[in-house]
């Protein structure tokens, strides 16, 4: 299980980059935010999922890649 403080810190960090997330990444963030809002405890791997989302954004920024919104 992920402790609540770590989960909240990671949720806030990822939410700051919400506009830079790919649609599937945004879905993961929204699902974890919804569970946290209901007061549900973090599950095994939630912290790792959020760390991966942060890493993905950092990699895209470093490489100069941007996600284009679907028209």
């Amino acid at each position: 299980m992920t402790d609540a403080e770590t989960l909240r810190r990671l949720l806030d960090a990822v939410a700051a980059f919400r506009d830079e997330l790919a649609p599937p990444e945004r879905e993961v963030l929204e699902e974890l935010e919804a569970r946290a809002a209901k007061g549900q405890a973090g599950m095994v791997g939630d912290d790792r999922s959020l760390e991966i989302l942060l890493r993905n954004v950092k990699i895209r920024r470093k490489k100069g890649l941007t996600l284009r919104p679907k028209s």
Side-chain angles (χ1 to χ4, degrees):
M1 274 209 194
T2 303
D3 68 83
E5 183 179 327
T6 300
L7 188 60
R8 182 81 263 152
R9 180 182 53 79
L10 288 167
L11 281 170
D12 291 344
V14 175
F17 300 108
R18 184 181 306 271
D19 293 341
E20 297 182 53
L21 297 174
E25 295 170 335
R26 199 171 304 119
E27 287 177 19
V28 169
L29 174 61
E30 290 168 357
E31 178 183 328
L32 295 176
E33 285 176 326
R35 278 197 278 152
K38 291 178 184 175
Q40 295 176 346
M43 297 175 64
V44 173
D46 284 353
D47 55 343
R48 187 66 58 200
S49 296
L50 292 166
E51 288 169 348
I52 290 169
L53 296 182
L54 284 173
R55 185 199 66 201
N56 290 350
V57 170
K58 289 177 184 178
I59 289 170
R60 284 193 292 266
R61 283 181 167 190
K62 185 176 182 178
K63 298 286 184 182
L65 301 172
T66 57
L67 300 175
R68 296 180 204 188
K70 254 186 165 175
S71 17

